[in-house]
Structures are given as structure tokens and as C-alpha cells.
Amino acid sequence: PELVEPVVLLEKMQLLSWLLLAVFGGASAVDEALFDSFDGEFGAAQIPTKPLLHQHTAARGAAWTPTPAAQRRAGLMYNLNHVEASDAMRTVRELGGTQLTVEKVLRSNGMYSLDDVYGPYNISHKTQIYSVEPTLGFYCLWRKRANDTNPPFRDCENITQTATAHAAMILAAGFDYVNVAITNWPTVEANSDFTVLRPTEVLFEAWLELRQRGIPTPNITVWPCAPAGSDMWRALVSRLYNNASYARLIQRDEQGRMLLFVPYNTKCYDAATAAEIEHNGGRNDIRVIKMWALMGEGTYHTDVWGFFSPCRSVTGESTTSVIGDAPCNQSVTTASPDGPVVEVSASGSFMKQMSGLPLTSPGHLRGLTVAKLFEKVLEMGAPNLFMSSFNERVGGRQNPLSNAKIAYNMGLPQDSQRAEVWVDTYAAEFTRDLEPSVEGGSRVWEVTAACVQLYKKGLACRDVEPSEHNPCCTRADKQVFANIWSLKRTDEQDRLVTSSEHEKDVLLQQGWEEVCSALPGPTVFCVDPSSLDGRDGPFLLYNSSSAAPNTIPLFRCTTTTNSSSPAHVLHFISTNAACDGQGVGHLQGYMASQRGGEMLRGLYRCRTSHGTYSHALDLACDVPDGGLLGFVR
């Protein structure tokens, strides 16, 4: 789902509070010569809430009891809108071309551009681009209907194999049902038919066939946009929900009602339509579940599920700052302000604005984002868990809201399409997707499966040995990143970077100021949405040389200038422990030697108009001082 509405509102938010996190402390001491939410309400119509599945836990601040393991249910967002992009990649293969993804373009470091994905093959530039290549290949679930004499596409390849593999993977992880995302298509027309409606029919057909052969599959629910006057939901209900052949495929509540989700925003939710869906022509056999994300805290307590819920700082502000020991503490859904807990969500990642922009999404962090979100999931023991997402893979793009120079698809500083920013999913790292991929591997899915299985068994990490067999509970394998603050003297006479939050706090009391992130998301760094640059802002490094192959150390160095009176010390960054012959460097962390995956932005050393040193992220310096140092986050 493309969160257009929250993204627009985000521009108006005020970011006022900063979270203090414990971060990588391996860097040396301060140079002794110098020192001894987005939480906007949608305003959607409110309707009386109903009991929702099991409700065992009590509301905020009250005593609560986790739901018994046997009564817990886990759902997973599942996408089917791949046919156009899949068919395009098939054409590229048949023409002997190179099948490029966003991640592969990034890793080429300029050898390929986004124009090379489809441009050489006479494929429309409007065709969506895969973020990564799924391990199963560029699959899709679409085939023509029996009476279709003029199909818009060829039947997808390997439908049965794909449906079988997905069913096995999702069940083995512990999920009970998938939720087919149809949130951008309220009406049935040619495009929505081949993009989502027909693929949903094919999923039902494929999994019914498997069950008839004795092969288990997850249950299915759908999540259509259903404003007043829409008809997509009607097609889904009449063709699938009211089809007796599929009765056992559809997830139901304790009363036997079929579950159907509706996006709870002003574009998709209408109370009268929701009531009509539940009525179902007098059958009264459907339960509508309202679900959305980036909601105000109050909305969570009106029976609205979150399909993802960001981490929150100690002040309650949503944050992309995940590195450190602070808990995620995401919002949970309750039936009413003082009612029982109904649902809690987790996700592969999340975003506060657009996933393609720096620091607006935490990314996978080797499964750390999932694992920290599951701390709340396992603590609450809610009756319902919902996760996003399995396989979005392709997604919409928008122009950035910020005018900052760094407001483009990070890692693509010279690409002609850099300003068409991906909203929900970007490359291998900055995506909610959990399905294993060629570029991203399977680690995040393994962490997810371990976490879901603990939830379904009614266990928490304290109940198991945190070994590699329980990757949901390990942290040393994931906490391999370091926050790097950028600071400058208020008189512009020096600049430096630091991996020590304590040092940053001390400097702020001694005539220094923090250079903020130009884009919203983090709370461990300050944020200045009015910034029109951002190149000299904060970033992340690895905290260990072994975190990735061939890492490059980054040192903070000093030199003395005689260009002013009296002479004073200037700081600069270097990859050389001897600081380019200037002395001994103070290690801050480690950069990647190649662009891609976790580290997408180039780091450069610059000179300023004040004669000091600075740095630039991804884009060139105004006054360069050497070449590329390495790649950072």
C-alpha cells in the first residue's frame, strides 16, 4: 500500500524531542587538546466497535493476561500485483538482456542506471521495477480466464510451483493466513483486473487445488479499498467469499464469520459500505477489520489494526532510530480506550516518509528491526499478530516532499530517475518485505520465522536459550551498526563527527551545535526539515571490521591551522590511522568498500568556505578534498 496521505501530512509535523540511545562506544576518547510523528489522525468515520476475535488482555495500564497459545492467530500481508513487471522481466530474459533490479543497479555503482532496466528492450518506462530478485525468480500468479480470447499478458510461468513453495514457507513459519493487499484498486476495470483481481482468483484456485491433493496451505483474506460506490469488494465477495468451493480457504473469526480487511483512511473507508459488506446480502457472515498504519495513538484504541507500527521513542514519537538498547514499544490495537488488546504488528522494516530517502526507514538491520518489534509482540501475547509484508517487491514512486539536496533515492546520486522516490519498498535493505531474495538472502525471513514460532507457542525470549537456533532472541549478530553524529562550532571554525553520544552531548555545552538530518525519521539525531542540503548530516557505520567483507576504517583526525590567529585545531576524516601524516586518528567505525545492501551512500571529505573540513554524503562536495572514502548508511 502506498501511504500517500500520511506522507503529505508528514511535511507539517514538528520534530521536537530526541531519544538518548546507548550506541557504539568503541571510538577513542575526545581529543584531549580540546576537551578533558508522524502521529496524524485520518479523521475517518467512527463506527461502534465490535468484539474482535479473542480478547483476553486488558487495556493500557491495566492488568492483562496473554492469550493462550492455542488461540493465537498470525496473518501476513501478501502481494499479487507482479504480472506486468514479471512479464517485462521475462521479455528481457528472452531477448538475452540483463535482468536488473533496483538493488543490482545500486551495486553496479553507476555502470547501470534505472533507465537500463527496461529502456533497451522497448518496454514502457512506466513499468514497475523489482526492488530485488526473489529466490523463486520473477514470478507472478496470473493466467487468463477460460473464456478470455484476448488476454493482456501471457500466462505466468511456474504458477503451481510458486504457489506450492509460498504455502509451505508461510505455514512452516507459523502463519495462519495471508492477507492479499488490494488497497490501491477500489474499482474493477481492465488494469485492476489483471493487476490484482485475476491474480487473487488464481491464488484461490492454486491453493484449493493443493488442498484437494492433501497439501496444506494458509487461509486467505483480502484487503480492498472500499469507499462509497466502489465495486472491487463486490467482485471479491461474489466470486470468492460467496463461492462454496472456497469456503474452507477463508480465514474466519470465532463466530465463523469470514474476515475481510478494509484500509482505515479517508480514501478507502466508508462506514455504510463496511456495514453492507458485513451484511453480505442478508448472510451476515463477514467481519470487516479496519486496518492502516502511521495512525495517531488514539486510533489504535478504536479497534483499528496496524499493518505495520513504527518503533516509538521514550516520548512516544515514532522513530526510525533502532540501533541501541531502547525497546521499540510500538503501538498496539485495543477494542476501546479501556478495552482489551486485540492485535499487535511487526514488520521487516517501516518508514516515516519514503523508504528510498536516507534515515526515513530503519531498514532490515540484519533482522534487528523485526526482532525488536517482536519484543512487544512476545510481551503482550496478543490474540492477533499481523506482519507486513511477504512479497511486495514492486511499488509506487513519488516526488520527494523535501527540497533538500539529499532527497532522492539514496545511492543513485547521478541517476536520471533519482527524484522518483520509492515509498514503501526500496532495494534489498529498506523494505518491509520478508521473502528471501537473491540479493538480500534469507536471514530476515529466518529471524521472522523464529519470532512467529515463539509467539504461536506462547513463549518469550526469556524462555529459550538465545542461540543461533533462536535468531529472534540474539542481538550480537544484528547490533553491528554505529550512529555517527555530525557537529560544527557555532562560530563555523571547526567541524567533526563522533560515534559517542556522550561526547556529542558534552560538545553541545561547549560552543558546538549538531548538524541535523534534513529528513524526518530518526530521533537519536536532531531533524531540521527546513534544511535544503543535508550532505553534511549524520549517518551510520559498522562498529566492527568483521561486520562485512573488506571494510574500510574511518578515523577522526586533527591538524593545526596557522591561517588564523591564534592557531587552532581543525578536525577532518580519513581512512588512514596516521591521518595522512598529521598524527594519530580516533577510530569512529567502518565503511563498506562497495555500494549496495546495507550501505548505499558514498562519503567524501570536503573543504568549506571557512577553511575548515566537512563531509558530503552521496553527492559531491562543493570544494572536494580527495576522492571517495567508502560507503555508509
Side-chain angles (χ1 to χ4, degrees):
E2 297 170 24
L3 297 180
V4 178
E5 194 168 88
V7 167
V8 174
L9 290 175
L10 247 167
E11 196 174 27
K12 303 177 182 178
M13 66 182 286
Q14 287 188 321
L15 300 170
L16 299 175
S17 55
W18 323 124
L19 173 64
L20 300 178
L21 296 177
V23 297
F24 165 56
S28 56
V30 182
D31 189 290
E32 294 182 0
L34 293 179
F35 320 104
D36 251 333
S37 41
F38 175 77
D39 280 325
E41 296 286 344
F42 283 103
Q46 302 292 312
I47 62 174
T49 56
K50 294 183 178 181
L52 192 56
L53 303 185
H54 304 277
Q55 300 183 48
H56 294 282
T57 55
R60 298 169 286 173
W64 55 270
T65 303
T67 302
Q71 298 175 355
R72 298 183 182 188
R73 298 293 178 264
L76 177 65
M77 193 173 104
Y78 189 84
N79 290 80
L80 290 166
N81 56 312
H82 306 121
V83 59
E84 187 174 21
S86 174
D87 192 72
M89 296 302 269
R90 181 175 173 181
T91 297
V92 171
R93 184 195 71 205
E94 292 170 348
L95 292 174
T98 300
Q99 293 177 307
L100 295 173
T101 63
V102 176
E103 182 65 30
K104 290 176 182 177
V105 169
L106 283 162
R107 294 186 183 188
S108 78
N109 197 27
M111 185 173 74
Y112 292 115
S113 73
L114 294 176
D115 291 339
D116 294 321
V117 178
Y118 297 130
Y121 313 104
N122 198 31
I123 297 171
S124 172
H125 71 280
K126 295 182 180 180
T127 304
Q128 291 185 326
I129 301 174
Y130 276 89
S131 56
V132 292
E133 179 180 356
T135 302
L136 295 177
F138 297 106
Y139 62 79
C140 57
L141 298 183
W142 185 93
R143 58 173 167 246
K144 68 177 183 179
R145 298 184 179 93
N147 60 350
D148 192 347
T149 59
N150 186 31
F153 295 99
R154 299 167 288 183
D155 286 2
C156 296
E157 300 176 303
N158 305 318
I159 290 175
T160 299
Q161 293 92 322
T162 299
T164 302
H166 281 180
M169 288 175 60
I170 293 168
L171 280 179
F175 291 99
D176 299 286
Y177 65 94
V178 299
N179 177 266
V180 179
I182 313 176
T183 58
N184 293 321
W185 296 273
T187 60
V188 178
E189 36 78 30
N191 180 274
S192 63
D193 182 56
F194 69 68
T195 303
V196 288
L197 180 54
R198 181 56 185 155
T200 304
E201 294 173 349
V202 171
L203 177 67
F204 273 79
E205 294 166 4
W207 280 3
L208 177 61
E209 180 183 355
L210 290 178
R211 289 198 182 184
Q212 290 171 340
R213 292 162 46 196
I215 300 173
T217 77
N219 289 334
I220 305 172
T221 63
V222 296
W223 188 24
C225 183
S230 60
D231 62 357
M232 177 60 75
W233 70 267
R234 294 184 187 276
L236 294 165
V237 169
S238 63
R239 301 183 193 189
L240 303 172
Y241 276 50
N242 291 341
N243 185 331
S245 300
Y246 299 134
R248 297 176 65 85
L249 269 177
I250 300 171
Q251 182 73 15
R252 297 172 182 265
D253 69 5
E254 284 186 309
Q255 289 74 47
R257 294 175 296 178
M258 298 177 286
L259 301 183
L260 187 147
F261 292 68
V262 173
Y264 192 61
N265 61 54
T266 55
K267 294 183 178 180
C268 289
Y269 185 81
D270 173 69
T273 302
E276 185 179 359
I277 294 171
E278 292 192 327
H279 185 252
N280 195 17
R283 298 175 181 85
N284 296 307
D285 59 354
I286 294 177
R287 172 71 175 105
V288 168
I289 295 177
K290 300 171 289 184
M291 184 165 70
W292 200 234
L294 298 178
M295 305 176 292
E297 179 66 18
T299 304
Y300 280 98
H301 303 299
T302 58
D303 213 13
V304 180
W305 289 26
F307 75 92
F308 73 84
S309 300
C311 296
R312 293 187 298 169
S313 71
V314 292
T315 62
E317 179 186 358
S318 58
T319 180
T320 60
S321 296
V322 175
I323 304 302
D325 298 326
C328 259
N329 195 32
Q330 72 270 32
S331 299
V332 301
T333 294
T334 61
S336 65
D338 297 315
V341 172
V342 169
E343 180 256 5
V344 63
S345 65
S347 52
S349 182
F350 54 84
M351 76 286 191
K352 280 193 66 172
Q353 195 179 87
M354 296 173 167
S355 292
L357 299 179
L359 302 181
T360 64
S361 167
H364 283 152
L365 297 170
R366 304 192 180 187
L368 179 65
T369 302
V370 169
K372 294 194 76 169
L373 287 164
F374 259 90
E375 292 172 1
K376 187 65 168 284
V377 173
L378 301 180
E379 170 198 349
M380 299 302 297
N384 296 288
L385 163 68
F386 192 90
M387 293 198 69
S388 64
S389 54
F390 184 67
N391 61 339
E392 189 161 0
R393 296 307 183 205
V394 297
R397 292 190 271 174
Q398 299 175 11
N399 292 327
L401 294 175
S402 171
N403 291 319
K405 290 182 178 180
I406 63 167
Y408 60 86
N409 288 312
M410 53 185 160
L412 297 174
Q414 306 304 323
D415 200 282
S416 66
Q417 299 184 38
R418 68 177 192 166
E420 299 175 46
V421 180
W422 271 275
V423 178
D424 292 285
T425 180
Y426 186 61
E429 173 70 5
F430 300 94
T431 171
R432 296 189 300 267
D433 285 348
L434 302 166
E435 179 191 27
S437 69
V438 173
E439 300 94 325
S442 61
R443 183 58 175 173
V444 177
W445 178 251
E446 293 163 2
V447 173
T448 298
C451 290
V452 174
Q453 289 161 14
L454 288 177
Y455 163 78
K456 292 296 292 292
K457 293 175 182 177
L459 301 175
C461 283
R462 61 179 174 272
D463 303 316
V464 298
E465 191 67 30
S467 69
E468 278 303 303
H469 297 292
N470 295 289
C472 183
C473 304
T474 57
R475 292 295 180 269
D477 56 328
K478 306 174 184 70
Q479 290 275 25
V480 298
F481 303 92
N483 295 315
I484 304 295
W485 286 265
S486 175
L487 297 105
K488 64 180 181 180
R489 290 189 61 90
T490 54
D491 60 8
E492 296 284 355
Q493 294 304 302
D494 195 11
R495 288 171 175 255
L496 60 75
V497 297
T498 179
S499 60
S500 167
E501 188 170 21
H502 173 71
E503 179 182 45
K504 181 263 298 183
D505 291 339
V506 170
L507 290 172
L508 293 180
Q509 303 301 316
Q510 297 182 357
W512 292 74
E513 63 184 33
E514 186 177 353
V515 181
C516 300
S517 167
L519 300 167
T523 51
V524 70
F525 306 125
C526 65
V527 174
D528 180 9
S530 68
S531 172
L532 298 179
D533 200 317
R535 289 175 295 173
D536 57 346
F539 53 95
L540 279 75
L541 296 172
Y542 291 123
N543 63 14
S544 168
S545 62
S546 61
N550 304 313
T551 55
I552 302 169
L554 183 70
F555 296 92
R556 189 180 76 203
C557 303
T558 59
T559 186
T560 302
T561 176
N562 294 314
S563 61
S564 61
S565 180
H568 65 273
V569 172
L570 295 181
H571 289 84
F572 64 96
I573 54 175
S574 174
T575 60
N576 189 309
C579 292
D580 306 329
Q582 298 292 318
V584 179
H586 302 296
L587 181 65
Q588 301 300 304
Y590 298 86
M591 300 176 288
S593 57
Q594 295 182 325
R595 193 192 301 273
E598 297 166 334
M599 301 292 185
L600 299 184
R601 300 195 287 168
L603 179 66
Y604 300 86
R605 187 172 71 199
C606 314
R607 296 304 297 259
T608 73
S609 60
H610 299 277
T612 61
Y613 293 91
S614 184
H615 68 268
L617 294 161
D618 226 12
L619 293 168
C621 306
D622 292 337
V623 182
D625 188 49
L628 175 72
L629 298 176
F631 296 98
V632 303
R633 192 180 182 92

